Amino acid sequence: MQYFVVMIDYGRRGREAVVDPEVTRREVVSRVASGEYGNICFIHEISGSAVEDVTEDILTQAALPEVAPDEVDLRAARFDHARDLRKHERT
């Protein structure tokens, strides 16, 4: 049997270990990427009687791709924002 233990730190309110044998590695990665799991202390993969710390691997997989600043068209974004604001103006 293989499952993951995700330890979440809530600061003064304490910690919580999320353990669900039906959650796959892919689901853990997607939950970290979506922000559902935040303030992670560690993630352990338990397989049989072996425990492996996979925190760094999963956080690396869940990292969002960086967009280079020169790829962003600020002028187009400003025009889009102005157009969206005009949509909601009262006439």
Side-chain angles (χ1 to χ4, degrees), residues 16-79:
E16 175 186 20
V18 179
V19 181
D20 187 353
E22 296 181 8
V23 172
T24 63
R25 181 183 187 101
R26 179 178 289 167
E27 289 179 65
V28 172
V29 170
S30 69
R31 289 179 184 185
V32 170
S34 71
E36 183 177 341
Y37 292 159
N39 297 329
I40 297 171
C41 294
F42 61 81
I43 302 172
H44 288 169
E45 179 180 6
I46 301 174
S47 181
S49 61
V51 177
E52 183 181 356
D53 185 5
V54 293
T55 308
E56 198 166 314
D57 295 338
I58 291 184
L59 291 178
T60 302
Q61 286 181 349
L64 298 175
E66 292 186 22
V67 176
D70 53 336
E71 292 180 23
V72 177
D73 188 358
L74 297 177
R75 180 179 292 165
R78 189 172 57 242
F79 288 146

